[in-house]
């Protein structure tokens, strides 16, 4: 299945999404879709939607909202010309009562008239900008998943949604820390500037070589561990809220939108 | 009552808000509160809240969300240490079935357990940045309200909320247009970059000397009329949605928050 990955790197956004929709490609989306915004996904029954949307507004670094569907409508019209949220993400996690029970590749049999889909900005956008500035990113160069950690930073509660902020870690050469802060702050819809850098213990991380999610990554001498709010945070909040059903993307397996990653607003203009 | 205005200009945010809360001051808030974010206001019954919040997300230039209350809770805890939305805005418009019926200075008798309050970013923030860059702003120098126009640009619909985008106009010296675009784009929570500049007819404005709201302002030779999305837009959408009751601020009479106007996110950190 992943034989498709290398050719897809140079494919158009539309054709990548077509390969995902047909399930010809079910893999991760890092590096795909050119310079377009990719998004984390959360789908909830409408009775949870207002509280979840307020949770995202109150926690804009981990949960930057880039699109919200109409209730029951699987099309995300503000994010592209033809996006069906039921089929256009390579893999989905199903949570029942807050527990991850299944991983699927198509939601057409699960979709309900009361579902609301949320698309949330993801770190691929600022990583792309860092790569263009020739900042070394170890996990990308070594084809690993970025290391992620639960922290002692609590998110701002909304209704049943609450929990720790989850962060991702990138070890950055000391001389480039200030520049990396500045670059990432330019992407408020992709987690923005780091929430912390330096001593991991200050945000409750006991062992920076042992992540809670993703793969371990080294912090060599001469580098500083930098921590960004991460899109896994809302998955932790959903586990705490325990809705009878909720759906997210599988980490790394994102929705590829038609929005340019340097767009001022994430609103698709049809041509 | 406006005798208080000049002394309030140098007062702290807390003491300005105390004067508003006690109704000692009921005037406009331009230039008050130092370098803190000011906000437009919309209060709706909860059955309208999700559709309205989606409307704002889909129209981020006219309706940049900076805070949302819990249902029934008049405190806006993410915007400051002690903000009571029922008393801390100098004047409120009451709409019944989409029609503006009253102007009041206190909502304590009208507040309901099902109300949700939305605070939306306002142009005072980027105007402050333009003034610091010594860009002349005629309406401020002449103590007028900025001219506002309904346009032929349609907002993105959400449920019953729809309608034209309303814009404000500032005539900017031709040589500074590019710089003004760049400065205002830095404030996505305050309407961001202009939606149009140049020929007003292109966005459906027949006579730029005759605004729909606010005061007329000249467009002298050597200046370009520049148009920004405006916080009156959601008031037009509320008129179309016709909720049995809705409340907004009176234009120019804003909520003064404790958020620094250059903050990366509009989330108050208690000290």
């Amino acid at each position: 299945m992943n034989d498709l990955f290398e050719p897809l790197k140079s494919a158009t956004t539309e054709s990548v999404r077509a390969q995902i929709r047909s399930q010809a490609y079910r893999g991760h989306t890092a590096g795909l879709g050119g310079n377009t915004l990719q998004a984390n996904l959360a789908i909830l029954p409408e009775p949870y939607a207002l509280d979840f949307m307020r949770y995202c507004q109150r926690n804009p670094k981990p949960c930057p909202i880039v699109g919200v569907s109409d209730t029951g409508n699987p099309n995300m019209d503000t994010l592209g010309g033809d996006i069906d949220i039921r089929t256009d993400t390579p893999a989905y996690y199903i949570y029942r009562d807050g527990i991850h029970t299944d991983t699927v590749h198509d939601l057409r049999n699960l979709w309900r008239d009361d579902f609301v889909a949320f698309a949330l900005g993801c770190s691929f956008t600022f990583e792309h900008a860092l790569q263009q500035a020739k900042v070394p990113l170890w996990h990308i160069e070594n084809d690993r998943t970025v290391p992620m950690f639960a922290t002692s930073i609590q998110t701002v509660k909304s209704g049943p949604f609450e929990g720790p902020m989850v962060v991702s870690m990138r070890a950055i050469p000391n001389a480039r820390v200030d520049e990396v802060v500045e670059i990432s702050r330019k992407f408020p819809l992709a987690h923005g500037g780091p929430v912390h850098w330096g001593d991991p213990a200050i945000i409750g991380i006991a062992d920076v070589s042992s992540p809670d999610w993703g793969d371990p990554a080294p912090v060599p001498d001469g580098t500083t561990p930098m921590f960004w709010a991460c899109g896994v945070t809302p998955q932790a909040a959903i586990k705490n809220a325990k809705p009878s059903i909720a759906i997210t993307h599988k980490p790394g397996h994102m929705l590829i939108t038609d929005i340019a990653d340097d767009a001022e607003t994430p609103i698709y203009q049809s041509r």
Side-chain angles (χ1 to χ4, degrees), chain A:
Chain A
M1 214 58 100
N2 274 332
D3 292 352
L4 262 175
F5 183 70
E6 285 300 326
L8 279 181
K9 276 183 166 177
S10 52
T12 64
T13 305
E14 289 75 11
S15 74
V16 175
R17 224 162 38 225
Q19 296 296 317
I20 291 170
R21 185 176 292 190
S22 71
Q23 298 189 47
Y25 184 71
R26 295 174 163 188
H28 75 77
T29 54
L32 301 185
N35 301 340
T36 61
L37 205 65
Q38 295 199 27
N40 298 301
L41 189 64
I43 301 173
L44 289 158
E46 191 181 71
Y48 289 91
L50 179 61
D51 277 331
F52 184 72
M53 198 164 176
R54 284 188 281 217
Y55 180 77
C56 294
Q57 192 277 323
R58 293 171 189 181
N59 297 285
K61 289 199 157 202
C63 313
I65 300 174
V66 298
V68 186
S69 78
D70 282 326
T71 304
N73 184 349
N75 298 315
M76 302 286 279
D77 293 330
T78 57
L79 292 177
D82 175 30
I83 294 183
D84 186 331
I85 207 67
R86 300 170 302 178
T87 51
D88 292 359
T89 299
Y92 304 86
Y93 279 0
I94 313 299
Y95 293 84
R96 296 182 193 277
D97 302 316
I99 296 163
H100 172 209
T101 56
D102 298 288
T103 302
V104 302
H105 303 282
D106 181 331
L107 300 177
R108 280 176 295 185
N109 289 332
L110 285 164
W111 186 259
R112 299 188 342 196
D113 283 349
D114 70 341
F115 276 177
V116 180
F118 295 86
L120 307 175
C122 105
S123 59
F124 290 170
T125 304
F126 80 77
E127 287 185 340
H128 185 242
L130 293 178
Q131 287 179 292
Q132 289 186 314
K134 309 235 183 292
V135 175
L137 294 173
W138 185 89
H139 71 286
I140 293 178
E141 289 160 8
N142 292 276
D143 199 19
R144 308 291 169 86
T145 302
V146 72
M148 291 166 271
F149 302 85
T151 69
S152 55
I153 304 169
Q154 286 299 305
T155 58
V156 182
K157 178 181 163 74
S158 169
F161 296 98
E162 63 183 316
M165 186 184 293
V166 178
V167 297
S168 58
M169 188 283 287
R170 293 161 190 81
I172 302 294
N174 295 340
R176 306 202 67 181
V177 166
D178 290 349
E179 179 190 358
V180 165
V181 171
E182 281 312 301
I183 292 173
S184 58
R185 275 182 69 115
K186 288 180 189 160
F187 297 93
L189 295 181
H191 305 310
V195 293
H196 177 65
W197 58 95
D199 183 1
I202 289 174
I203 56 171
I205 298 173
D207 181 357
V208 78
S209 67
S210 179
D212 298 309
W213 298 269
D215 297 315
V219 182
D221 284 349
T223 69
T224 299
M226 298 184 71
F227 300 92
W228 279 266
C230 169
V232 171
T233 306
Q235 300 193 18
I238 285 168
K239 285 183 184 179
N240 283 327
K242 299 183 177 52
S244 60
I245 187 165
I247 300 167
T248 71
H249 69 292
K250 178 179 174 180
H253 298 60
M254 305 296 185
L255 174 70
I256 298 173
T257 75
D258 290 336
I259 307 292
D261 62 12
D262 61 353
E264 191 185 1
T265 62
I267 306 300
Y268 179 71
Q269 308 286 341
S270 56
R271 274 156 211 107

